Amino acid sequence: MIKKNKALAICICGEESNSDMADQGEIKVEEEEELSTDIRDWSTHQVREWARNLAGVGETVADILFQEGICGLSLLALDETRLKSINVKFGTAILLLDARDKVVNLKKEESPSSKNEPGTPCKPYPFCRYHNTNRYVENGILDVTESGATDLIEPCHEYKAFINTTNETKMGKFISEVIRFAAACMNSRTNGTIHFGIGDKPDFTHGQVLGVVVEDKEAYANKLKSTIDSYFEHKHIQAAQMCIKPPRFVGVLNKNMTSSDKCVIEVDIVPDSMICKEDHYHTFSTDTKKAKKKGRGTNETQEESKQFFVRDGGSSRDLLKNTTFAKPMEEYNTYVGSVANRSKLRKQAEEKHLTVIKSSTQGFRLSQMITGGSHSLDKSHFEQYVIVTNKSHPSQFESLGFLVELNPTAVLDFDPESAKHGLLCHFDQQSTVKPHLPAKYRITEGVEDIASKLKLTRNTSWVFCNGGIEDEAPSDIDQWLMDKGASVRDVISFLCRKDVLPNKRFLVVFLLLSPVSEKMDPLVETFTTFCQELRGTEQILSICDNENAFISWKNLIEARCGINISGRCINELSFAEVNGTILSLLPKYRRASRFLPCGGGSKVLLEKKVERSLNTLDVLCVNQCEGGNEDKIAIEENFYKGGKVSWWNFYFSEQPGSTPFIKRDKFDFIMSTVIPELCSLRKACVLLNLMHVPGCGGTTLAMHTLWAHREKFRCAVLKDNNAEFTEVAEQVVKLLMYDHEEKLPRVPVLLMIDDFDDMEKVFDLQQLLDKQCAKKDIQSKSAQIIVLNCMRSESPEPTEPNADTVFIGNNLSEKEQKLFEEKLVEIEKTHKNTETFYGFMIMKKNFKQEYVEGVVRNTLKSFNVNQKHAKLLAVLVLLNVYCKGASLSVSLCEEFLGLQPKPICGTVKVEEGFGKFSTLISSCSVEGKVVFKAVKMIHSKISQQCLQELTTTHKVSKADITDILLTTNEIYESTQGKDKLLQDVHQILVKRNFSAEDECQFSPLILDIAKETQGLEEMVLESASKRFQKDAVIAQLLSRYYYLKKKDFQQAKMWAKNAKDLSKDSSYMADTSAQVIKFELKNAIASCKDVTPDKLAMFLQLAQSAIEAFKETQNLAKKESLQRLQQKRDNGSFNTSGCLGEIQVGVLIIHVLERIPVFSTDNVRHAIMKQVLSGDVKLHDVERNDPRHKDKHYYVILRQFEEVLYELKYRMKLNFDFLDNFFVNLGSRFGMKDSREQVAQMELFRCFTKYAELFCKTDSVALLKNKKMQSMMKVDQAREFLEKAKADTYCGILNVLTNNLPTEVLEKILRQYDLICAQNPTVKEKINFIYVNVVLSCIKLKSTVLKPYSTLIDCLCHVLREPIPLSDNLPLHFIAIVLLWPQQFYPESRSLGKYISQIKTSYHSVMKEVYNGKRPIVHFFLGKKQGYERLVPFRAIKSCITAEQEKFASVWENGQIWKEQKVEELLLRVRGEVRNRLILADTCIPDLKVEVTPVFRSQLGGHGEGSKVSFFVGFSMNGPVAIDIN
């Protein structure tokens, strides 16, 4: 209230009041009561007293006003018509309105500069945000004061008017003020925002929005970033850059809500505890910094320019500034001393204010309220919509498509610029609108006539409620009610009439595109009017997209109307989610558009362009199949006959009258246990394996799982298993992030992959998905992508389900059988020919072989291989048996069978072309390079039985069918599906099944043909070579057949040469040429009884040729591996066959030499051979000392191959060590064992045994007992023993951890090293001595020969101080990192950082040619105990899990293993902080931090620079790694 002034008194009290006292119980307004000059503040009592005192009005009229509840705001909205409607006569009405206008004009005269007066309070722009649509209104007042630190998280504020600066000084002023404020916030550890363009006292109201004109916004951002370096100390530059955020430019609207060219510049400061730690920050003038760099200036000058700012109330104060205090530095020193405590408080505050993300249900609520409970926008409840909205932002338009679809009857738009570049401008491009001013709604004639003129039910009536058209000027917020309030009330009253819009059948939606923060905002008055007209809020819905806007709106409405509108508000969804949710309720959109879930029932529209860009994925949407009109009968028949399940099958089963889709027993286990557990894992991409016997419904169960999760996850199926995995990963992550990049938590992606034939490929895809998540910095505090791997199992035996693997066998439970019986009853009611629904019936019969045999026998009765359709069926059967997912394109079948379109009835179904056999095939769609329709066999059991029936009953062998397939040109004439067919044919000819027991030499088809019709396989392969003339692999296959089966080495060499010519740079083709020579040599030796000189010459010539060929293979293999490494797309591993092949040839040479007289008579001659092959003795010396002249011819031959013989041991040992290094230090990237590598290792062991027999003949027991033997001889013998035990290399010693070497042998090995180290050991032997002790401690900690831990550390430190050969760097630095990881202080521990850098360099130098497609094996983990017990070997971790190899690999990859209690009890969890995508681990030495590399970089997603994390530490040859990062 203000004191009554004379002018107002004259206006109000024109004459003496003759009114009586107010009735008892009413408030009496005395003559001296002060009235506000602003009518809007008057109460109903004050309006009555004012009217009573007006001349010519009288008490009766004043009472009428009181009884009608007319307050100041209502008084402003009155006009003659409204006064007449409450029985106020025309003359009295004129007096009332004239007196009111005088009061209003008087207020205007009293404040001629009202335009510059401060407005009402408003909220500051959200802290640390850049993409909100908030804008300030000129002269608004920020409702926060300039302040110092409060709770450290709530930002303090500082205001700068920024108006008394010239263009020349503006940038400098901006920079200096930001630096001053930022340093103060960083030292005070409080968040803060400095605002430029906000006024302060005394010239303005505190927090008044002024705005500034900025011509080049980018210049401010660039200048700030570039000049931070000049103000902060060098060591603090990075921290300052991270704490000082880029400037934000917040638009300023004029008071009438039109746009201006002004903005407020804001800079946020965030002194995160992980960045600032316990540092304190000085700033300098830029001149001083330059002087320091150049060495100019005195210390005094530099000290004077040094500042230390802190927040002190609403300003920043420099504690180093000269003061009048006696002890000027005392406050500074005290403050610096308190920084550690402030940092602690900051960290506590951050932990307290961590965002808690709650599960929202507002998507369901929006669906409920926008439809009135019908959950469909089919006008079954609300028939029409009225939209009330305010100032929009262009970024919102793409998320407001639902407005067009709602087709609102009217839009009350309070944005005066809506037609120019606002919502109307956008809306008008998509719909027909009719813009109006509110005056058009005044009832001046019949209601229907007005509605007709407005075209109210034909077009959207767009009402400009604050000017903007027809030259009507917009009003400021505080003037709007008086200028335009009455006319807008007319609009509302008109729309709410029962004869205009259907009673209770329309909804008013307040769409708050900008925050509403003032009580005088027109939307508040509009809401109040609608609330009055509709008698409540049941027909009113408010929508905004953030909590601050909601709270402000709710509070204003509660203050104005006294009601809580929380239950009628949507505020937790983004406008994109609001858009998607509403569009999904429209029947036409459910048919024409597709929607993705966003959680809580909300949805977003999946734009067609985006979906088409996800071309490797079949995306399953929330509204999949809705509104479609597919042929239910045809789709169900195809499925029941054996076709692949489609989404339609699940959809149809949910429709009224259908029984539910059959749930397999494992379905609920997957839904309720497996997937929730996987979601809890702290890894971006996790794997769920659904292993199934072919034909038992595994794919159907997987798709059923996706269907059931389509509203909870974003579900998709990988279309083509041969798609580029990098592209797949990009698209999956795009699906994950679509339309909620900034929103957390995201809805995870559930990706189904089907029929992968190699688990390594599955892991490849998982790794790329993980990398893509890391690239996009997607946090992995929970699983973001779940890969549902549906894979055929080679074994029909069921396995126990574990956390990430589920097995589906071919044996139904009683419950499942009952469900199939119930479904059959339903099927028989709706379908004919159910007896041909073999896919369904096989399962219903519980996979009984008798049923399958009967079906096949009856169907194939009339089979005649000379008929075209029979030939095609035989080919399809063969392909389906030997190639998973094989098919024949429909166009191929049509051309081959001569099917032509009928002139009247259209095309013939391709199934009809197969005649009686049509019941055995089904149609399908094939995704490959192109998408095409195809046919396949209905069931794997049917295929297998058909092949059996053809061979036994109809005498059509596998060779016959393969011959038809390879020689019938018509099969390959169809262009559609030709590539896929050739790929399938190639696969059945070439692809072998490998196992750990042996190496399969040929594909299952070739082996079966050879077994069934021996000899015909050669003709088949010859036909294959003609069909695939330019194919190196087929030529290689022919070569392998001739040298393995036919022993025809000339033919084999010819085909090997063809293969090599077709693929010149392939190590595998070069290896085939080498293998031919090796097998020719092996065969020649085996068939030779006596080795004559001529035979010896032939053998050694072949051996020399083979060695050269294998060396070429090795060189090509290394070249290939380096190329793959550079391409970063091929995960193929190093081809070891060249190394192994050379070793095998060496063994063959030893076998040959043992049989010639020169070396075969006795042990002495055998020892001479050892020396010759070691290069220690020359052949001419042996010959000179050999009294037997009859061996002369052998010496002649041997001397021709001296180079091969002298290098034999060296080359064999080189290859043994190389392969040991490869197999011991590098493993599968996913912990799985490669069966081919296992076979190679078994062969390597056999060869080494033969090598050791010759080169390592020693008796360790005799060696230790013989005291008289010379010490040097003892050492030599000890070294031979170590070589024989494969303990002469660190790799061989580490391998003891996995090969179960007896403890006694390992102790003997240590004794040998004791012996050697007592003499003159090499650096390598000293290092091996350390390794033996470490490995022995892991196997037998209490061994009596084990050296004390401290002794071993001393030995290590001694070695580290010696000159180290390059070849010994890798093993030495590895064991140094393992042993010197701080548990107590060792001086050498200070060098850990250097050792880690050096081991990485050594690893890449030594292993770069072979490590592509591999992961360095983690040999040890850091445990909780001390000494030797601190080292936990990998096998100790593996023993905590009782699982098969593949399952162990999976739980390792998913990270589930780290949740095992036994593992957690073993390992020490280390803390550290994130730095440059690596982690600096804390140690027991306070100022020593050690760099470790994350095994899964995606686990760093969401962890910003400096974030604190905890993890387990593992030790690999590429340095320490971090596992299970929290």
Side-chain angles (χ1 to χ4, degrees), residues 812-824:
L812 298 181
S813 67
E814 291 183 7
K815 177 185 173 184
E816 288 172 329
Q817 290 184 52
K818 185 176 180 183
L819 290 173
F820 272 92
E821 289 169 2
E822 292 173 358
K823 195 70 176 179
L824 179 60

Side-chain angles (χ1 to χ4, degrees), residues 848-861:
K848 286 184 179 178
Q849 184 61 26
E850 296 82 3
Y851 173 76
V852 176
E853 289 173 1
V855 167
V856 171
R857 190 181 307 112
N858 291 329
T859 308
L860 295 183
K861 275 182 188 176

Side-chain angles (χ1 to χ4, degrees), residues 20 335 369 442 487 529 613 653 702 894 1042 1360 1495:
D20 297 331
Y335 200 95
M369 290 189 284
R442 179 174 290 185
S487 60
T529 306
S613 72
S653 69
E894 288 174 342
Y1042 279 112
L1360 286 168
V1495 172

Side-chain angles (χ1 to χ4, degrees), residues 12 17-23 26-27 29 42-71 75 78 83 86-89 92-93 95-96:
I12 296 176
S17 173
N18 57 2
S19 62
D20 297 331
M21 297 292 291
D23 296 339
E26 293 180 353
I27 300 174
V29 181
W42 292 0
S43 66
T44 53
H45 299 283
Q46 289 170 320
V47 170
R48 181 172 67 173
E49 291 308 311
W50 170 76
R52 278 178 174 176
N53 293 325
L54 289 177
V57 174
E59 188 172 340
T60 303
V61 173
D63 288 342
I64 289 173
L65 294 177
F66 182 77
Q67 290 164 6
E68 292 293 332
I70 302 299
C71 63
L75 182 61
L78 288 177
L83 286 170
I86 57 175
N87 298 319
V88 176
K89 294 184 178 180
T92 308
L95 291 174
L96 269 172

Side-chain angles (χ1 to χ4, degrees), residues 729-747:
E730 289 171 356
Q731 292 184 14
V732 171
V733 172
K734 183 177 181 179
L735 177 64
L736 171 70
M737 300 182 71
Y738 178 67
D739 247 348
H740 52 56
E741 284 89 347
E742 294 184 357
K743 183 180 177 183
L744 294 173
R746 295 183 182 89
V747 175

